[in-house]
Amino acid sequence: MSILSAEGFPEERVRHRARAGAAAVFPALESYGSSLLGAIPAGHDPYDVLERARIVPPVFMPERLKKLIDLAREPLYTDVELTTSVGGFASRLPLYVSAFGSTRVASHDLGEAAGRQAGQLGIPMVIGENVVPVNGYRAASDSAASPLLGRIAAYTAAADDEHGGVVVQQSTEDADAEVWNLVYSDPVSEPLLATGRLAFELKVGQGAKPGLGGLTVLGREAGGRVAEQYALDEVFGADSDSVLRISSPGTFTEEILRQQIRLMRNNFPRVKVWVKLHPGRDIALAAATAWAAGADSVTVDGAEGGTAWAPTGFLSQVGLPLGECLTRIGPTDHCLLASGRIWEGGRAAKALALGARAVGLGRAALLAVDEDADAGLVRLAESIALELRLLISSVGKYHANALEADDILLPADAATASRTG
Protein backbone atom coordinates (compact mmCIF):
# COMPACT_ATOMS: atom_id res chain seq x y z
CA MET A 1 0.00 0.00 0.00
CA SER A 2 1.49 3.35 -1.06
CA ILE A 3 2.08 6.00 1.61
CA LEU A 4 4.20 8.55 -0.23
CA SER A 5 2.90 11.70 -1.86
CA ALA A 6 4.63 14.20 -4.17
CA GLU A 7 2.85 17.54 -4.30
CA GLY A 8 3.59 19.48 -7.47
CA PHE A 9 4.94 16.38 -9.22
CA PRO A 10 2.92 14.28 -11.72
CA GLU A 11 2.45 11.61 -9.11
CA GLU A 12 -0.50 9.79 -10.68
CA ARG A 13 1.22 9.57 -14.05
CA VAL A 14 4.26 8.00 -12.40
CA ARG A 15 2.05 5.54 -10.52
CA HIS A 16 0.25 4.70 -13.78
CA ARG A 17 3.60 3.87 -15.40
CA ALA A 18 4.54 1.78 -12.39
CA ARG A 19 1.33 -0.20 -12.86
CA ALA A 20 1.18 -0.44 -16.67
CA GLY A 21 4.84 -0.43 -17.72
CA ALA A 22 5.55 0.12 -21.42
CA ALA A 23 1.83 0.33 -22.27
CA ALA A 24 1.65 3.64 -20.36
CA VAL A 25 3.60 5.32 -23.17
CA PHE A 26 0.40 5.16 -25.25
CA PRO A 27 -3.15 6.40 -24.63
CA ALA A 28 -5.48 4.10 -22.72
CA LEU A 29 -5.97 0.90 -24.70
CA GLU A 30 -9.73 0.95 -24.19
CA SER A 31 -9.88 4.24 -26.12
CA TYR A 32 -8.42 2.65 -29.26
CA GLY A 33 -10.84 2.75 -32.17
CA SER A 34 -13.11 5.33 -30.55
CA SER A 35 -10.83 8.30 -29.84
CA LEU A 36 -9.10 10.73 -32.18
CA LEU A 37 -5.67 11.79 -31.03
CA GLY A 38 -4.07 15.20 -31.27
CA ALA A 39 -1.53 17.44 -29.65
CA ILE A 40 -1.94 19.84 -26.74
CA PRO A 41 -5.52 21.18 -26.52
CA ALA A 42 -6.21 24.24 -28.64
CA GLY A 43 -5.20 27.44 -26.89
CA HIS A 44 -2.82 25.72 -24.46
CA ASP A 45 0.25 25.38 -26.67
CA PRO A 46 2.53 28.43 -26.38
CA TYR A 47 4.26 27.41 -29.63
CA ASP A 48 1.05 27.34 -31.69
CA VAL A 49 1.54 30.45 -33.82
CA LEU A 50 -1.76 30.05 -35.66
CA GLU A 51 -3.83 30.12 -32.48
CA ARG A 52 -2.02 33.22 -31.21
CA ALA A 53 -2.05 35.13 -34.51
CA ARG A 54 -4.76 37.64 -35.38
CA ILE A 55 -6.27 38.59 -38.73
CA VAL A 56 -5.74 42.34 -39.23
CA PRO A 57 -7.84 44.20 -41.83
CA PRO A 58 -6.29 47.43 -43.18
CA VAL A 59 -8.07 50.75 -43.48
CA PHE A 60 -7.13 51.35 -47.11
CA MET A 61 -8.10 48.54 -49.49
CA PRO A 62 -6.96 49.01 -53.12
CA GLU A 63 -8.02 45.46 -54.02
CA ARG A 64 -11.54 46.26 -52.87
CA LEU A 65 -11.52 49.30 -55.15
CA LYS A 66 -10.48 47.12 -58.09
CA LYS A 67 -13.29 44.71 -57.29
CA LEU A 68 -15.75 47.61 -57.03
CA ILE A 69 -14.77 48.84 -60.48
CA ASP A 70 -14.99 45.31 -61.89
CA LEU A 71 -18.46 44.71 -60.44
CA ALA A 72 -19.75 48.29 -60.83
CA ARG A 73 -20.98 48.07 -57.24
CA GLU A 74 -19.63 47.75 -53.72
CA PRO A 75 -18.25 44.22 -53.30
CA LEU A 76 -19.62 41.90 -50.60
CA TYR A 77 -18.18 38.84 -48.86
CA THR A 78 -20.31 36.73 -51.19
CA ASP A 79 -18.04 37.89 -54.03
CA VAL A 80 -15.02 36.07 -52.58
CA GLU A 81 -13.92 33.22 -54.86
CA LEU A 82 -12.79 30.04 -53.12
CA THR A 83 -12.07 27.76 -56.08
CA THR A 84 -8.38 26.96 -56.43
CA SER A 85 -5.85 24.45 -57.76
CA VAL A 86 -4.86 21.86 -55.16
CA GLY A 87 -1.94 19.67 -56.13
CA GLY A 88 -2.86 19.81 -59.80
CA PHE A 89 -6.60 19.32 -59.18
CA ALA A 90 -9.35 21.89 -59.63
CA SER A 91 -11.00 22.22 -56.22
CA ARG A 92 -14.21 24.06 -55.37
CA LEU A 93 -12.77 25.05 -51.98
CA PRO A 94 -9.24 25.52 -50.54
CA LEU A 95 -9.83 22.32 -48.55
CA TYR A 96 -8.96 18.65 -48.84
CA VAL A 97 -9.66 15.57 -46.71
CA SER A 98 -6.48 14.40 -44.99
CA ALA A 99 -5.38 10.79 -44.77
CA PHE A 100 -6.94 8.67 -42.03
CA GLY A 101 -4.55 5.73 -42.23
CA SER A 102 -5.36 2.15 -41.32
CA THR A 103 -6.49 2.51 -37.72
CA ARG A 104 -9.89 1.20 -36.66
CA VAL A 105 -11.16 4.70 -35.90
CA ALA A 106 -11.37 5.31 -39.67
CA SER A 107 -13.75 2.43 -40.16
CA HIS A 108 -15.06 1.13 -43.46
CA ASP A 109 -18.33 3.09 -43.14
CA LEU A 110 -16.74 6.37 -41.99
CA GLY A 111 -14.09 6.22 -44.70
CA GLU A 112 -16.65 5.71 -47.44
CA ALA A 113 -18.95 8.40 -46.02
CA ALA A 114 -16.05 10.84 -46.06
CA GLY A 115 -15.28 9.80 -49.63
CA ARG A 116 -18.83 10.37 -50.83
CA GLN A 117 -19.08 13.79 -49.25
CA ALA A 118 -15.63 14.90 -50.40
CA GLY A 119 -16.61 13.95 -53.93
CA GLN A 120 -19.86 15.84 -53.58
CA LEU A 121 -17.96 18.92 -52.36
CA GLY A 122 -15.49 18.73 -55.24
CA ILE A 123 -12.42 18.73 -52.98
CA PRO A 124 -9.51 16.25 -53.03
CA MET A 125 -9.40 13.26 -50.67
CA VAL A 126 -6.25 11.48 -49.46
CA ILE A 127 -6.37 7.77 -48.62
CA GLY A 128 -3.79 6.94 -45.98
CA GLU A 129 -0.98 4.44 -45.95
CA ASN A 130 -1.06 0.82 -44.74
CA VAL A 131 -4.72 0.31 -45.68
CA VAL A 132 -3.86 -2.46 -48.13
CA PRO A 133 -1.20 -4.34 -46.07
CA VAL A 134 -3.60 -4.43 -43.09
CA ASN A 135 -7.00 -4.87 -44.77
CA GLY A 136 -6.09 -6.36 -48.14
CA TYR A 137 -6.56 -4.95 -51.61
CA ARG A 138 -9.55 -7.02 -52.63
CA ALA A 139 -12.36 -8.01 -50.29
CA ALA A 140 -12.89 -11.64 -49.39
CA SER A 141 -16.12 -11.69 -51.39
CA ASP A 142 -16.98 -10.04 -54.67
CA SER A 143 -20.01 -8.41 -53.05
CA ALA A 144 -17.93 -6.31 -50.66
CA ALA A 145 -15.33 -3.69 -51.50
CA SER A 146 -12.03 -3.39 -49.66
CA PRO A 147 -11.58 -0.18 -47.64
CA LEU A 148 -9.27 1.37 -50.25
CA LEU A 149 -11.35 0.48 -53.30
CA GLY A 150 -14.55 1.27 -51.44
CA ARG A 151 -13.38 4.80 -50.69
CA ILE A 152 -12.27 5.37 -54.28
CA ALA A 153 -15.55 4.07 -55.67
CA ALA A 154 -17.63 6.13 -53.23
CA TYR A 155 -15.72 9.27 -54.11
CA THR A 156 -15.92 8.73 -57.87
CA ALA A 157 -19.64 8.03 -57.79
CA ALA A 158 -20.37 11.30 -55.99
CA ALA A 159 -17.93 13.58 -57.84
CA ASP A 160 -18.18 15.31 -61.20
CA ASP A 161 -15.49 14.92 -63.85
CA GLU A 162 -13.86 18.31 -63.29
CA HIS A 163 -13.33 18.93 -59.58
CA GLY A 164 -11.40 17.24 -56.82
CA GLY A 165 -9.36 14.08 -57.03
CA VAL A 166 -8.19 11.04 -55.08
CA VAL A 167 -4.71 10.79 -53.59
CA VAL A 168 -3.32 7.38 -52.54
CA GLN A 169 -0.48 7.35 -50.03
CA GLN A 170 2.29 4.79 -49.99
CA SER A 171 4.85 4.04 -47.30
CA THR A 172 7.47 1.31 -46.94
CA GLU A 173 5.07 -1.59 -46.36
CA ASP A 174 2.73 -0.29 -49.07
CA ALA A 175 5.62 -0.35 -51.51
CA ASP A 176 6.23 -4.00 -50.61
CA ALA A 177 2.53 -4.63 -51.34
CA GLU A 178 2.84 -2.70 -54.64
CA VAL A 179 -0.15 -0.53 -53.75
CA TRP A 180 0.51 2.11 -56.40
CA ASN A 181 0.94 -0.53 -59.11
CA LEU A 182 -2.35 -2.15 -58.12
CA VAL A 183 -4.29 1.13 -58.05
CA TYR A 184 -2.73 2.41 -61.28
CA SER A 185 -3.87 -0.63 -63.24
CA ASP A 186 -7.24 -1.18 -61.54
CA PRO A 187 -10.42 -0.43 -63.55
CA VAL A 188 -11.85 1.45 -60.55
CA SER A 189 -9.16 4.10 -61.08
CA GLU A 190 -9.70 4.60 -64.80
CA PRO A 191 -12.36 7.35 -64.50
CA LEU A 192 -9.93 9.32 -62.31
CA LEU A 193 -6.95 8.70 -64.59
CA ALA A 194 -8.94 9.66 -67.66
CA THR A 195 -9.81 13.03 -66.13
CA GLY A 196 -6.43 13.70 -64.50
CA ARG A 197 -7.81 13.34 -60.97
CA LEU A 198 -5.57 10.66 -59.45
CA ALA A 199 -2.43 11.39 -57.42
CA PHE A 200 0.06 9.27 -55.51
CA GLU A 201 1.50 10.68 -52.31
CA LEU A 202 4.89 9.66 -50.97
CA LYS A 203 4.58 9.67 -47.21
CA VAL A 204 7.80 10.88 -45.62
CA GLY A 205 6.17 11.44 -42.22
CA GLN A 206 3.20 12.73 -40.27
CA GLY A 207 2.59 15.31 -37.57
CA ALA A 208 1.41 12.98 -34.82
CA LYS A 209 4.57 10.87 -34.97
CA PRO A 210 7.45 12.82 -36.56
CA GLY A 211 10.29 10.44 -37.35
CA LEU A 212 8.20 7.34 -36.63
CA GLY A 213 6.12 5.12 -38.87
CA GLY A 214 2.51 4.11 -38.36
CA LEU A 215 1.51 2.43 -35.11
CA THR A 216 -1.68 0.40 -34.89
CA VAL A 217 -3.18 -1.85 -32.24
CA LEU A 218 -4.22 -5.29 -33.48
CA GLY A 219 -5.66 -8.39 -31.89
CA ARG A 220 -3.24 -11.30 -31.68
CA GLU A 221 -4.90 -13.20 -34.50
CA ALA A 222 -4.84 -10.18 -36.83
CA GLY A 223 -1.26 -9.47 -35.79
CA GLY A 224 -0.28 -12.97 -36.77
CA ARG A 225 -1.73 -12.46 -40.25
CA VAL A 226 0.47 -9.41 -40.92
CA ALA A 227 3.57 -10.59 -39.05
CA GLU A 228 5.48 -11.12 -42.28
CA GLN A 229 4.97 -7.49 -43.36
CA TYR A 230 5.25 -5.74 -39.99
CA ALA A 231 7.14 -5.90 -36.73
CA LEU A 232 5.00 -6.47 -33.63
CA ASP A 233 5.69 -5.32 -30.08
CA GLU A 234 4.26 -6.82 -26.89
CA VAL A 235 3.95 -3.46 -25.12
CA PHE A 236 0.57 -4.39 -23.62
CA GLY A 237 1.91 -7.54 -22.01
CA ALA A 238 2.24 -11.16 -23.03
CA ASP A 239 -1.17 -11.96 -21.51
CA SER A 240 -2.96 -9.25 -23.49
CA ASP A 241 -4.89 -10.02 -26.65
CA SER A 242 -3.57 -6.75 -28.14
CA VAL A 243 -0.23 -6.17 -29.85
CA LEU A 244 1.33 -3.05 -31.32
CA ARG A 245 1.89 -3.19 -35.08
CA ILE A 246 4.92 -1.13 -36.10
CA SER A 247 5.45 0.40 -39.53
CA SER A 248 8.81 1.52 -40.84
CA PRO A 249 9.13 5.30 -41.26
CA GLY A 250 11.47 4.82 -44.22
CA THR A 251 14.88 6.44 -44.61
CA PHE A 252 15.33 9.67 -46.52
CA THR A 253 18.17 11.94 -47.56
CA GLU A 254 17.92 14.75 -50.10
CA GLU A 255 19.10 12.43 -52.85
CA ILE A 256 16.77 9.58 -51.83
CA LEU A 257 13.79 11.95 -51.86
CA ARG A 258 14.76 13.31 -55.27
CA GLN A 259 15.13 9.82 -56.71
CA GLN A 260 11.83 8.63 -55.25
CA ILE A 261 9.95 11.51 -56.85
CA ARG A 262 11.65 10.95 -60.19
CA LEU A 263 10.74 7.27 -60.07
CA MET A 264 7.12 8.17 -59.34
CA ARG A 265 7.01 10.51 -62.32
CA ASN A 266 8.62 7.92 -64.60
CA ASN A 267 6.63 4.89 -63.45
CA PHE A 268 3.23 6.55 -63.15
CA PRO A 269 3.11 9.31 -65.77
CA ARG A 270 -0.69 9.70 -65.60
CA VAL A 271 -0.87 10.69 -61.93
CA LYS A 272 0.02 13.81 -59.97
CA VAL A 273 2.89 13.47 -57.49
CA TRP A 274 2.33 14.58 -53.90
CA VAL A 275 4.77 14.42 -50.97
CA LYS A 276 3.76 14.48 -47.31
CA LEU A 277 6.31 15.77 -44.80
CA HIS A 278 6.36 15.56 -41.04
CA PRO A 279 7.10 18.81 -39.17
CA GLY A 280 10.88 18.45 -39.10
CA ARG A 281 13.28 21.24 -38.26
CA ASP A 282 14.59 21.16 -41.87
CA ILE A 283 11.08 21.44 -43.32
CA ALA A 284 12.00 24.31 -45.66
CA LEU A 285 14.85 22.32 -47.24
CA ALA A 286 12.72 19.20 -47.54
CA ALA A 287 9.88 21.07 -49.25
CA ALA A 288 12.27 22.83 -51.63
CA THR A 289 13.91 19.50 -52.48
CA ALA A 290 10.54 17.90 -53.29
CA TRP A 291 9.42 20.76 -55.53
CA ALA A 292 12.76 20.90 -57.34
CA ALA A 293 12.46 17.17 -58.09
CA GLY A 294 9.05 17.73 -59.70
CA ALA A 295 6.47 17.22 -56.96
CA ASP A 296 3.11 18.74 -57.87
CA SER A 297 2.34 19.36 -54.21
CA VAL A 298 3.94 19.20 -50.78
CA THR A 299 1.82 18.62 -47.69
CA VAL A 300 3.13 19.81 -44.34
CA ASP A 301 1.53 17.99 -41.43
CA GLY A 302 2.02 20.11 -38.31
CA ALA A 303 2.61 18.64 -34.87
CA GLU A 304 -1.03 19.34 -34.01
CA GLY A 305 -2.19 16.84 -36.64
CA GLY A 306 -3.05 13.17 -36.43
CA THR A 307 -5.95 10.76 -36.10
CA ALA A 308 -3.99 7.60 -35.44
CA TRP A 309 -2.35 5.85 -32.50
CA ALA A 310 0.68 7.72 -31.16
CA PRO A 311 2.81 7.82 -28.00
CA THR A 312 1.45 10.55 -25.74
CA GLY A 313 4.90 12.09 -25.39
CA PHE A 314 5.01 12.69 -29.14
CA LEU A 315 1.66 14.46 -29.14
CA SER A 316 2.85 17.10 -26.70
CA GLN A 317 6.62 17.32 -27.15
CA VAL A 318 7.78 16.38 -30.67
CA GLY A 319 7.72 18.27 -33.95
CA LEU A 320 7.19 21.85 -35.13
CA PRO A 321 3.70 23.34 -34.84
CA LEU A 322 2.04 24.02 -38.18
CA GLY A 323 2.45 27.80 -37.98
CA GLU A 324 6.18 27.45 -37.39
CA CYS A 325 6.46 25.12 -40.40
CA LEU A 326 4.72 27.67 -42.61
CA THR A 327 6.85 30.60 -41.45
CA ARG A 328 10.04 28.58 -42.02
CA ILE A 329 9.02 27.69 -45.58
CA GLY A 330 7.78 31.20 -46.34
CA PRO A 331 5.86 32.44 -49.38
CA THR A 332 6.08 30.17 -52.42
CA ASP A 333 4.65 29.87 -55.92
CA HIS A 334 4.54 26.09 -55.50
CA CYS A 335 1.54 24.21 -54.14
CA LEU A 336 1.93 23.96 -50.36
CA LEU A 337 -0.79 22.16 -48.42
CA ALA A 338 -1.16 22.35 -44.64
CA SER A 339 -2.86 20.20 -42.01
CA GLY A 340 -2.98 20.30 -38.25
CA ARG A 341 -6.05 21.05 -36.11
CA ILE A 342 -7.95 22.73 -38.93
CA TRP A 343 -11.65 22.82 -38.16
CA GLU A 344 -12.81 26.43 -38.61
CA GLY A 345 -12.25 29.36 -40.95
CA GLY A 346 -9.99 31.49 -38.76
CA ARG A 347 -7.19 28.95 -38.46
CA ALA A 348 -7.63 28.04 -42.12
CA ALA A 349 -7.35 31.69 -43.21
CA LYS A 350 -4.17 32.17 -41.18
CA ALA A 351 -2.60 29.10 -42.80
CA LEU A 352 -3.55 30.41 -46.23
CA ALA A 353 -2.04 33.80 -45.40
CA LEU A 354 1.23 32.11 -44.43
CA GLY A 355 1.53 30.44 -47.81
CA ALA A 356 -0.70 27.36 -47.90
CA ARG A 357 -2.75 26.82 -51.05
CA ALA A 358 -5.31 24.72 -49.16
CA VAL A 359 -5.79 23.16 -45.73
CA GLY A 360 -6.62 19.60 -44.72
CA LEU A 361 -9.45 18.29 -42.57
CA GLY A 362 -8.52 15.12 -40.67
CA ARG A 363 -10.06 14.68 -37.23
CA ALA A 364 -12.66 17.31 -38.11
CA ALA A 365 -13.72 15.35 -41.19
CA LEU A 366 -14.03 12.09 -39.24
CA LEU A 367 -16.05 13.74 -36.48
CA ALA A 368 -18.32 15.37 -39.05
CA VAL A 369 -19.14 12.11 -40.85
CA ASP A 370 -19.53 10.37 -37.50
CA GLU A 371 -22.13 13.00 -36.60
CA ASP A 372 -23.96 12.69 -39.93
CA ALA A 373 -22.83 10.12 -42.48
CA ASP A 374 -24.94 11.73 -45.20
CA ALA A 375 -24.10 15.44 -44.90
CA GLY A 376 -21.92 16.14 -41.85
CA LEU A 377 -18.73 16.85 -43.80
CA VAL A 378 -20.64 18.92 -46.36
CA ARG A 379 -22.08 21.11 -43.61
CA LEU A 380 -18.70 21.45 -41.90
CA ALA A 381 -17.11 22.56 -45.18
CA GLU A 382 -19.95 25.00 -45.80
CA SER A 383 -19.38 26.61 -42.41
CA ILE A 384 -15.65 26.95 -43.05
CA ALA A 385 -16.33 28.38 -46.51
CA LEU A 386 -18.62 31.06 -45.08
CA GLU A 387 -16.03 32.04 -42.45
CA LEU A 388 -13.31 32.18 -45.10
CA ARG A 389 -15.40 34.47 -47.29
CA LEU A 390 -16.14 36.76 -44.35
CA LEU A 391 -12.50 36.90 -43.24
CA ILE A 392 -10.98 37.26 -46.70
CA SER A 393 -13.43 40.04 -47.55
CA SER A 394 -12.62 41.81 -44.29
CA VAL A 395 -9.01 42.38 -45.41
CA GLY A 396 -10.13 43.64 -48.81
CA LYS A 397 -9.27 40.51 -50.81
CA TYR A 398 -11.57 38.45 -53.03
CA HIS A 399 -9.80 35.16 -53.66
CA ALA A 400 -8.68 32.50 -51.20
CA ASN A 401 -5.11 32.60 -52.46
CA ALA A 402 -4.88 36.40 -52.36
CA LEU A 403 -4.21 36.34 -48.62
CA GLU A 404 -0.64 37.15 -47.60
CA ALA A 405 1.46 37.49 -44.47
CA ASP A 406 0.57 41.18 -43.99
CA ASP A 407 -3.04 40.13 -43.41
CA ILE A 408 -2.21 38.52 -40.08
CA LEU A 409 -0.43 39.70 -36.95
CA LEU A 410 1.97 37.09 -35.65
CA PRO A 411 2.89 36.97 -31.96
CA ALA A 412 5.90 39.19 -31.29
CA ASP A 413 8.24 36.27 -30.64
CA ALA A 414 7.15 34.44 -33.80
CA ALA A 415 7.41 37.56 -35.93
CA THR A 416 10.95 38.20 -34.70
CA ALA A 417 11.94 34.61 -35.39
CA SER A 418 10.55 34.71 -38.93
CA ARG A 419 12.50 37.89 -39.72
CA THR A 420 15.77 36.54 -38.34
CA GLY A 421 15.27 33.01 -39.72
Side-chain angles (χ1 to χ4, degrees), residues 197-224:
R197 293 180 299 132
L198 182 66
F200 290 160
E201 182 172 70
L202 176 65
K203 182 182 176 184
V204 178
Q206 62 173 318
K209 298 182 286 293
L212 291 182
L215 300 172
T216 300
V217 178
L218 298 176
R220 252 173 218 290
E221 183 178 348

Side-chain angles (χ1 to χ4, degrees), residues 35-397:
S35 296
L36 299 176
L37 302 179
I40 301 170
H44 293 266
D45 185 355
Y47 293 100
D48 191 340
V49 173
L50 293 183
E51 288 295 321
R52 297 164 59 207
R54 293 183 65 86
I55 297 167
V56 285
V59 174
F60 301 123
M61 300 182 180
E63 295 301 316
R64 180 170 289 179
L65 176 60
K66 291 180 183 178
K67 194 70 173 178
L68 183 155
I69 295 171
D70 181 51
L71 296 173
R73 62 167 171 79
E74 284 285 352
L76 304 171
Y77 72 83
T78 50
D79 296 310
V80 173
E81 181 58 63
L82 296 182
T83 59
T84 189
S85 175
V86 178
F89 302 142
S91 181
R92 294 187 185 278
L93 299 170
L95 303 174
Y96 64 95
V97 175
S98 298
F100 301 150
S102 58
T103 50
R104 193 166 65 231
V105 72
S107 69
H108 200 294
D109 291 341
L110 288 184
E112 291 193 12
R116 282 193 300 272
Q117 293 182 52
Q120 181 181 343
L121 286 163
I123 63 175
M125 173 188 68
V126 185
I127 299 176
E129 93 290 1
N130 292 329
V131 174
V132 170
V134 172
N135 299 299
Y137 184 70
R138 292 283 179 194
S141 68
D142 293 337
S143 61
S146 68
L148 185 143
L149 295 180
R151 293 183 203 181
I152 294 176
Y155 184 97
T156 306
D160 62 29
D161 291 336
E162 299 179 7
H163 297 92
V166 172
V167 186
V168 179
Q169 272 187 4
Q170 182 169 284
S171 60
T172 303
E173 290 80 12
D174 292 305
D176 293 338
E178 298 190 338
V179 171
W180 286 342
N181 285 320
L182 291 169
V183 172
Y184 196 70
S185 60
D186 197 295
V188 77
S189 304
E190 186 53 37
L192 297 171
L193 284 168
T195 54
R197 293 180 299 132
L198 182 66
F200 290 160
E201 182 172 70
L202 176 65
K203 182 182 176 184
V204 178
Q206 62 173 318
K209 298 182 286 293
L212 291 182
L215 300 172
T216 300
V217 178
L218 298 176
R220 252 173 218 290
E221 183 178 348
R225 289 197 298 268
V226 300
E228 291 187 5
Q229 298 118 308
Y230 296 95
L232 303 175
D233 194 346
E234 299 269 7
V235 297
F236 307 110
D239 56 345
S240 173
D241 185 53
S242 298
V243 294
L244 186 69
R245 186 220 70 194
I246 308 168
S247 298
S248 167
T251 301
F252 289 92
T253 63
E254 292 177 57
E255 184 58 24
I256 290 174
L257 180 57
R258 281 193 289 265
Q259 292 297 336
Q260 289 269 34
I261 293 170
R262 288 167 184 161
L263 283 172
M264 292 170 69
R265 299 196 70 85
N266 289 334
N267 294 345
F268 308 106
R270 301 176 68 192
V271 305
K272 304 295 189 296
V273 173
W274 288 29
V275 174
K276 183 174 185 177
L277 302 175
H278 69 248
R281 63 177 186 262
D282 54 354
I283 188 71
L285 174 60
T289 301
W291 285 318
D296 295 291
S297 183
V298 170
T299 299
V300 175
D301 200 16
E304 305 92 336
T307 57
W309 193 251
T312 53
F314 272 69
L315 299 176
S316 59
Q317 300 183 66
V318 181
L320 297 175
L322 178 58
E324 177 67 19
C325 291
L326 295 174
T327 56
R328 290 194 182 199
I329 295 172
T332 178
D333 293 329
H334 298 289
C335 183
L336 174 64
L337 306 180
S339 57
R341 197 187 282 136
I342 305 293
W343 64 275
E344 48 82 34
R347 188 175 178 87
K350 295 170 191 176
L352 295 175
L354 288 176
R357 183 79 58 82
V359 294
L361 304 175
R363 282 164 295 180
L366 275 175
L367 289 171
V369 296
D370 186 53
E371 179 67 22
D372 186 337
D374 294 323
L377 177 57
V378 171
R379 295 194 192 101
L380 173 66
E382 289 173 345
S383 73
I384 295 173
L386 174 58
E387 287 176 312
L388 281 173
R389 288 191 170 96
L390 291 166
L391 292 166
I392 294 168
S393 173
S394 76
V395 298
K397 308 287 178 67

